[in-house]
Amino acid sequence: MADVANARTSHNGRMSHNGTEPSTAELVQRATEQVSRLVRDELTLARAELTEKGKQAGIGVGLFAGGGALAFFGLGALVTAAILLLALVLPAWAAALIVAVALFLVAGVLALIGKRRVSRAVPPVPEATVRSLRADVDVVSAAVKDRGRA
C-alpha cells in the first residue's frame, strides 16, 4: 500500500510512477506484489502471536500439574496423619496433619495460578492479526472505491 501512497500524481489526479497513467497489467502486477507481501506479513504476525499463546498455555499447564502433584503428596501426608492418629496417640500425627494442610494450600495456589494462565491463552486466536487484517481490508476497499471514482 505504501507504493500506491508514494506514487506521483499526474495532472488528471491518477497515480503513476512515471507521470503517465499506469497500464492495467502494471496495476495488476503491483496489486499482486502488495497482496503477496501483505499475506506474508500477516502470516508472520499470526505465527508470532500463536507462539506466545502456546508458551503461556504451556506454563499454565505446568503450574496446574504441579498443583496436582502437590495435592497428591498432600493426600499421602493426610493418610499418614490418619495412620499415625490411629496407631499412636502422639504429637507425630499433628505434625503430619500440619504438613498435609500446608501442601494443600500450596497446591491450591499453584492450581489457581495455572488456571488463570491457561485461561489467558485460550482461545488461541491471533487477535492482533485479525485486527490488522480488518484494517488492511478497509484500506484496500477505500483504495478500490477511490480508484473507481477517478
Side-chain angles (χ1 to χ4, degrees):
M1 293 302 139
D3 292 342
V4 173
N6 292 331
R8 281 180 264 143
T9 304
S10 66
H11 67 284
N12 63 4
R14 296 197 178 171
M15 296 179 200
S16 69
H17 286 291
N18 57 9
T20 64
E21 175 113 10
S23 69
T24 302
E26 184 181 358
L27 292 173
V28 169
Q29 180 185 7
R30 281 189 213 166
T32 302
E33 290 169 358
Q34 291 171 357
V35 168
S36 177
R37 184 174 50 240
L38 178 65
V39 168
R40 277 194 309 272
D41 291 347
E42 295 298 349
L43 287 174
T44 301
L45 177 61
R47 187 179 319 125
E49 195 172 350
L50 288 174
T51 299
E52 180 60 30
K53 286 189 179 248
K55 286 178 186 176
Q56 292 298 321
I59 290 170
V61 168
L63 289 170
F64 194 70
L70 285 177
F72 178 76
F73 290 128
L75 182 61
L78 196 57
V79 168
T80 302
I83 291 171
L84 289 174
L85 177 63
L86 294 174
L88 305 167
V89 182
L90 293 175
W93 70 266
L97 188 59
I98 289 170
V99 168
V101 169
L103 285 172
F104 279 129
L105 286 174
V106 171
V109 169
L110 288 176
L112 287 174
I113 292 171
K115 182 181 179 294
R116 257 189 247 129
R117 295 291 289 262
V118 170
S119 295
R120 270 192 257 153
V122 175
V125 175
E127 295 161 359
T129 303
V130 170
R131 282 192 305 272
S132 177
L133 279 172
R134 285 187 182 139
D136 293 341
V137 167
D138 291 342
V139 167
V140 169
S141 296
V144 168
K145 286 179 186 175
D146 287 346
R147 178 79 175 159
R149 288 185 210 148

